[in-house]
Amino acid sequence: MTVQTGQLSLVTGTGPGSDRAGLGELLAEATGEVLVMSTGTDTAFQRIALGGVRPGVRHKVLFPDSARMSGALNRMSRAGAEVRTDAEVPMDALVIDRTSVVLPAEGRQAGSAVFRLPGVVTATVGLFERIWQAAAPLVPLDLPDDGNASILTCREQELLTLLFSGTTDESAAARLGVSVRTVRRMVADIMNRLGARSRFQAGAKAVDRGWLMAKAG
């Protein structure tokens, strides 16, 4: 059910299915762009927002670094969405065509609040863009297809090999065709998966696991 008062609507429902239908209808109205900003909490709102990328509609997705290895983000990136992550994202929000802002409704009413007030739209888009500029892009090849954190992609193996041979971050970035920031974020991802506290330790653990040897062979 949608309750509308002027430039504010409340999409409500008695269960997850009703809320999913309401948000789905709102997203279906997008004709040019959908901005997704998420704190990374696994909520119905987040799952619906990540439901799919529609052809002809630009999707920009912003999540915290803690969700960088998420299979859902990987799938969205491969489907054509522009995905970036940053240290922290302060709120959950959707912006549809820069005319409507969707926020999770608080309190006992399940659902989402839809704002069409220009001031709310401008403020939300401004916050999104400020975080977006500093966030690191997620390259689809950075993640394994099956989301298995125990294996590396060819790009990650190549990066490890370059760094292990003494290549600088800048040179590695040029070789891989990505930014230095992306290289450093990839290294941080690998270190996290290896449980390493330094690059030297990450290299040693990678050798122990056969990751570098697999690339060399």
Side-chain angles (χ1 to χ4, degrees):
M1 177 178 67
T2 301
V3 179
Q4 184 163 347
T5 305
Q7 293 175 304
L8 168 64
S9 302
L10 183 63
V11 180
T12 64
T14 57
S18 299
D19 189 36
R20 185 177 296 110
L23 265 183
E25 291 175 1
L26 289 170
L27 289 170
E29 295 176 0
T31 59
E33 180 185 63
V34 173
L35 307 181
V36 179
M37 183 161 50
S38 175
T39 58
T41 305
D42 187 17
T43 63
F45 183 88
Q46 173 184 304
R47 290 192 296 273
I48 296 163
L50 295 178
V53 178
R54 289 175 48 214
V57 178
R58 184 184 188 187
H59 286 71
K60 296 171 70 174
V61 182
L62 186 59
F63 264 69
D65 290 338
S66 59
R68 193 169 178 83
M69 298 303 296
S70 164
L73 293 188
N74 188 23
R75 288 190 294 274
M76 285 202 78
S77 185
R78 291 180 182 279
E82 299 173 56
V83 182
R84 295 188 182 186
T85 66
D86 200 34
E88 183 179 1
V89 178
M91 64 185 291
D92 294 300
L94 295 175
V95 183
I96 300 173
D97 291 333
R98 303 203 176 205
T99 59
S100 302
V101 172
V102 185
L103 304 175
E106 298 181 356
R108 291 180 297 178
Q109 281 274 39
S112 306
V114 184
F115 297 86
R116 297 181 177 86
L117 298 164
V120 174
V121 174
T122 299
T124 306
V125 171
L127 175 62
F128 182 96
E129 293 294 353
R130 283 196 298 274
I131 301 173
W132 182 263
Q133 291 300 318
L138 177 68
V139 181
L141 290 178
D142 285 353
L143 299 176
D145 288 337
D146 59 5
N148 187 345
S150 67
I151 63 175
L152 295 181
T153 65
C154 291
R155 176 169 291 189
E156 286 174 327
Q157 289 179 343
E158 185 175 359
L159 173 60
L160 268 182
T161 302
L162 288 170
L163 296 180
F164 197 68
S165 65
T167 304
T168 64
D169 289 354
E170 291 75 13
S171 296
R175 287 281 299 273
L176 297 175
V178 298
S179 68
V180 174
R181 185 181 179 89
T182 296
V183 163
R184 290 171 180 166
R185 193 60 57 90
M186 289 170 65
V187 172
D189 288 342
I190 294 170
M191 289 175 60
N192 181 60
R193 287 151 63 185
L194 286 168
R197 296 185 177 180
S198 68
R199 291 191 177 192
F200 178 83
Q201 188 179 37
K205 289 191 174 188
V207 170
D208 289 341
R209 293 195 183 191
W211 287 358
L212 290 176
M213 290 173 60
K215 176 63 180 178

PDB file of all heavy atoms in Angstrom, residues 2 41 44 47 52 55-56 67 73 82 85 100 104 140 143 167 173 180 185 208:
ATOM      1  N   THR A   2       0.474   2.262  -0.720  1.00  0.00           N
ATOM      2  CA  THR A   2       1.211   3.515  -0.760  1.00  0.00           C
ATOM      3  C   THR A   2       0.343   4.631  -0.216  1.00  0.00           C
ATOM      4  O   THR A   2      -0.746   4.894  -0.718  1.00  0.00           O
ATOM      5  CB  THR A   2       1.647   3.874  -2.193  1.00  0.00           C
ATOM      6  OG1 THR A   2       2.473   2.826  -2.706  1.00  0.00           O
ATOM      7  CG2 THR A   2       2.419   5.178  -2.200  1.00  0.00           C
ATOM      8  N   THR A  41      24.341  -3.096   6.084  1.00  0.00           N
ATOM      9  CA  THR A  41      23.529  -3.971   6.921  1.00  0.00           C
ATOM     10  C   THR A  41      22.648  -4.839   6.045  1.00  0.00           C
ATOM     11  O   THR A  41      22.056  -4.366   5.076  1.00  0.00           O
ATOM     12  CB  THR A  41      22.645  -3.138   7.870  1.00  0.00           C
ATOM     13  OG1 THR A  41      23.486  -2.251   8.614  1.00  0.00           O
ATOM     14  CG2 THR A  41      21.890  -4.036   8.834  1.00  0.00           C
ATOM     15  N   ALA A  44      16.087  -6.025   4.330  1.00  0.00           N
ATOM     16  CA  ALA A  44      15.209  -6.195   3.168  1.00  0.00           C
ATOM     17  C   ALA A  44      15.378  -5.021   2.216  1.00  0.00           C
ATOM     18  O   ALA A  44      15.378  -5.185   0.998  1.00  0.00           O
ATOM     19  CB  ALA A  44      13.756  -6.316   3.623  1.00  0.00           C
ATOM     20  N   ARG A  47      18.491  -5.620   0.135  1.00  0.00           N
ATOM     21  CA  ARG A  47      18.335  -6.719  -0.829  1.00  0.00           C
ATOM     22  C   ARG A  47      17.465  -6.296  -2.007  1.00  0.00           C
ATOM     23  O   ARG A  47      17.721  -6.676  -3.150  1.00  0.00           O
ATOM     24  CB  ARG A  47      17.745  -7.939  -0.127  1.00  0.00           C
ATOM     25  CG  ARG A  47      18.719  -8.588   0.854  1.00  0.00           C
ATOM     26  CD  ARG A  47      18.217  -9.952   1.299  1.00  0.00           C
ATOM     27  NE  ARG A  47      16.978  -9.870   2.047  1.00  0.00           N
ATOM     28  CZ  ARG A  47      16.912  -9.675   3.366  1.00  0.00           C
ATOM     29  NH1 ARG A  47      18.038  -9.519   4.063  1.00  0.00           N
ATOM     30  NH2 ARG A  47      15.766  -9.621   3.979  1.00  0.00           N
ATOM     31  N   GLY A  52      18.607  -5.903  -9.008  1.00  0.00           N
ATOM     32  CA  GLY A  52      18.973  -6.096 -10.401  1.00  0.00           C
ATOM     33  C   GLY A  52      19.301  -4.786 -11.083  1.00  0.00           C
ATOM     34  O   GLY A  52      18.948  -3.709 -10.611  1.00  0.00           O
ATOM     35  N   PRO A  55      18.595  -2.579 -18.012  1.00  0.00           N
ATOM     36  CA  PRO A  55      19.240  -2.018 -19.202  1.00  0.00           C
ATOM     37  C   PRO A  55      18.750  -0.596 -19.461  1.00  0.00           C
ATOM     38  O   PRO A  55      17.568  -0.298 -19.318  1.00  0.00           O
ATOM     39  CB  PRO A  55      18.788  -2.967 -20.327  1.00  0.00           C
ATOM     40  CG  PRO A  55      18.450  -4.241 -19.628  1.00  0.00           C
ATOM     41  CD  PRO A  55      17.870  -3.830 -18.309  1.00  0.00           C
ATOM     42  N   GLY A  56      19.671   0.268 -19.814  1.00  0.00           N
ATOM     43  CA  GLY A  56      19.305   1.637 -20.124  1.00  0.00           C
ATOM     44  C   GLY A  56      19.233   2.558 -18.926  1.00  0.00           C
ATOM     45  O   GLY A  56      19.024   3.767 -19.090  1.00  0.00           O
ATOM     46  N   ALA A  67      31.926  -4.648   2.862  1.00  0.00           N
ATOM     47  CA  ALA A  67      31.086  -5.443   1.957  1.00  0.00           C
ATOM     48  C   ALA A  67      31.743  -5.642   0.600  1.00  0.00           C
ATOM     49  O   ALA A  67      31.115  -6.140  -0.336  1.00  0.00           O
ATOM     50  CB  ALA A  67      29.726  -4.763   1.775  1.00  0.00           C
ATOM     51  N   LEU A  73      27.514  -7.501  -4.748  1.00  0.00           N
ATOM     52  CA  LEU A  73      28.192  -6.371  -5.389  1.00  0.00           C
ATOM     53  C   LEU A  73      28.946  -6.819  -6.627  1.00  0.00           C
ATOM     54  O   LEU A  73      28.961  -6.116  -7.646  1.00  0.00           O
ATOM     55  CB  LEU A  73      29.153  -5.705  -4.402  1.00  0.00           C
ATOM     56  CG  LEU A  73      28.546  -4.991  -3.201  1.00  0.00           C
ATOM     57  CD1 LEU A  73      29.624  -4.238  -2.444  1.00  0.00           C
ATOM     58  CD2 LEU A  73      27.433  -4.044  -3.621  1.00  0.00           C
ATOM     59  N   GLU A  82      27.982   0.654 -11.709  1.00  0.00           N
ATOM     60  CA  GLU A  82      29.227   1.243 -11.222  1.00  0.00           C
ATOM     61  C   GLU A  82      29.218   1.088  -9.709  1.00  0.00           C
ATOM     62  O   GLU A  82      28.355   1.638  -9.030  1.00  0.00           O
ATOM     63  CB  GLU A  82      29.305   2.716 -11.605  1.00  0.00           C
ATOM     64  CG  GLU A  82      29.295   2.972 -13.104  1.00  0.00           C
ATOM     65  CD  GLU A  82      29.203   4.458 -13.406  1.00  0.00           C
ATOM     66  OE1 GLU A  82      30.062   5.219 -12.917  1.00  0.00           O
ATOM     67  OE2 GLU A  82      28.258   4.858 -14.109  1.00  0.00           O
ATOM     68  N   THR A  85      33.376   1.428  -3.067  1.00  0.00           N
ATOM     69  CA  THR A  85      33.295   1.240  -1.623  1.00  0.00           C
ATOM     70  C   THR A  85      34.170   2.272  -0.925  1.00  0.00           C
ATOM     71  O   THR A  85      35.164   2.743  -1.474  1.00  0.00           O
ATOM     72  CB  THR A  85      33.739  -0.174  -1.193  1.00  0.00           C
ATOM     73  OG1 THR A  85      35.139  -0.346  -1.475  1.00  0.00           O
ATOM     74  CG2 THR A  85      32.948  -1.246  -1.920  1.00  0.00           C
ATOM     75  N   SER A 100      13.492  11.637  -6.731  1.00  0.00           N
ATOM     76  CA  SER A 100      12.885  10.975  -5.570  1.00  0.00           C
ATOM     77  C   SER A 100      13.968  10.327  -4.719  1.00  0.00           C
ATOM     78  O   SER A 100      14.910   9.732  -5.248  1.00  0.00           O
ATOM     79  CB  SER A 100      11.888   9.896  -6.012  1.00  0.00           C
ATOM     80  OG  SER A 100      10.863  10.443  -6.818  1.00  0.00           O
ATOM     81  N   PRO A 104      14.573   3.974   4.314  1.00  0.00           N
ATOM     82  CA  PRO A 104      13.845   2.983   5.108  1.00  0.00           C
ATOM     83  C   PRO A 104      12.998   3.689   6.155  1.00  0.00           C
ATOM     84  O   PRO A 104      13.453   4.624   6.819  1.00  0.00           O
ATOM     85  CB  PRO A 104      14.964   2.162   5.774  1.00  0.00           C
ATOM     86  CG  PRO A 104      16.189   2.443   4.971  1.00  0.00           C
ATOM     87  CD  PRO A 104      16.029   3.838   4.450  1.00  0.00           C
ATOM     88  N   PRO A 140      35.071  -5.718 -11.593  1.00  0.00           N
ATOM     89  CA  PRO A 140      34.518  -7.079 -11.542  1.00  0.00           C
ATOM     90  C   PRO A 140      35.575  -8.158 -11.439  1.00  0.00           C
ATOM     91  O   PRO A 140      35.411  -9.118 -10.702  1.00  0.00           O
ATOM     92  CB  PRO A 140      33.728  -7.189 -12.847  1.00  0.00           C
ATOM     93  CG  PRO A 140      33.355  -5.790 -13.178  1.00  0.00           C
ATOM     94  CD  PRO A 140      34.500  -4.938 -12.699  1.00  0.00           C
ATOM     95  N   LEU A 143      37.160  -9.860  -8.107  1.00  0.00           N
ATOM     96  CA  LEU A 143      36.532 -10.870  -7.277  1.00  0.00           C
ATOM     97  C   LEU A 143      36.354 -12.172  -8.027  1.00  0.00           C
ATOM     98  O   LEU A 143      36.034 -12.171  -9.214  1.00  0.00           O
ATOM     99  CB  LEU A 143      35.150 -10.382  -6.806  1.00  0.00           C
ATOM    100  CG  LEU A 143      35.154  -9.110  -5.966  1.00  0.00           C
ATOM    101  CD1 LEU A 143      33.724  -8.709  -5.656  1.00  0.00           C
ATOM    102  CD2 LEU A 143      35.934  -9.321  -4.686  1.00  0.00           C
ATOM    103  N   THR A 167      57.933  -4.640  -7.621  1.00  0.00           N
ATOM    104  CA  THR A 167      57.283  -3.580  -8.404  1.00  0.00           C
ATOM    105  C   THR A 167      56.550  -2.619  -7.478  1.00  0.00           C
ATOM    106  O   THR A 167      55.909  -3.036  -6.513  1.00  0.00           O
ATOM    107  CB  THR A 167      56.280  -4.191  -9.402  1.00  0.00           C
ATOM    108  OG1 THR A 167      56.965  -5.139 -10.214  1.00  0.00           O
ATOM    109  CG2 THR A 167      55.651  -3.120 -10.270  1.00  0.00           C
ATOM    110  N   ALA A 173      49.943  -0.600 -10.931  1.00  0.00           N
ATOM    111  CA  ALA A 173      48.693  -0.012 -11.404  1.00  0.00           C
ATOM    112  C   ALA A 173      48.729   0.211 -12.909  1.00  0.00           C
ATOM    113  O   ALA A 173      47.765  -0.070 -13.626  1.00  0.00           O
ATOM    114  CB  ALA A 173      48.415   1.303 -10.669  1.00  0.00           C
ATOM    115  N   VAL A 180      46.125   3.575  -8.716  1.00  0.00           N
ATOM    116  CA  VAL A 180      46.943   3.193  -7.567  1.00  0.00           C
ATOM    117  C   VAL A 180      46.055   2.905  -6.369  1.00  0.00           C
ATOM    118  O   VAL A 180      46.305   1.968  -5.597  1.00  0.00           O
ATOM    119  CB  VAL A 180      47.949   4.316  -7.226  1.00  0.00           C
ATOM    120  CG1 VAL A 180      48.713   3.986  -5.945  1.00  0.00           C
ATOM    121  CG2 VAL A 180      48.926   4.530  -8.377  1.00  0.00           C
ATOM    122  N   ARG A 185      43.701  -1.052  -2.583  1.00  0.00           N
ATOM    123  CA  ARG A 185      42.496  -1.679  -2.038  1.00  0.00           C
ATOM    124  C   ARG A 185      42.513  -3.185  -2.306  1.00  0.00           C
ATOM    125  O   ARG A 185      42.111  -3.977  -1.459  1.00  0.00           O
ATOM    126  CB  ARG A 185      41.251  -1.031  -2.649  1.00  0.00           C
ATOM    127  CG  ARG A 185      39.957  -1.375  -1.926  1.00  0.00           C
ATOM    128  CD  ARG A 185      39.997  -0.930  -0.470  1.00  0.00           C
ATOM    129  NE  ARG A 185      40.266   0.499  -0.347  1.00  0.00           N
ATOM    130  CZ  ARG A 185      39.319   1.417  -0.315  1.00  0.00           C
ATOM    131  NH1 ARG A 185      38.059   1.079  -0.391  1.00  0.00           N
ATOM    132  NH2 ARG A 185      39.633   2.694  -0.175  1.00  0.00           N
ATOM    133  N   ASP A 208      53.029 -19.969   0.750  1.00  0.00           N
ATOM    134  CA  ASP A 208      52.644 -21.183   1.489  1.00  0.00           C
ATOM    135  C   ASP A 208      51.401 -21.828   0.893  1.00  0.00           C
ATOM    136  O   ASP A 208      51.277 -23.058   0.852  1.00  0.00           O
ATOM    137  CB  ASP A 208      52.394 -20.851   2.962  1.00  0.00           C
ATOM    138  CG  ASP A 208      53.679 -20.538   3.717  1.00  0.00           C
ATOM    139  OD1 ASP A 208      54.752 -20.918   3.209  1.00  0.00           O
ATOM    140  OD2 ASP A 208      53.605 -19.913   4.791  1.00  0.00           O
TER     141      ASP A 208
END
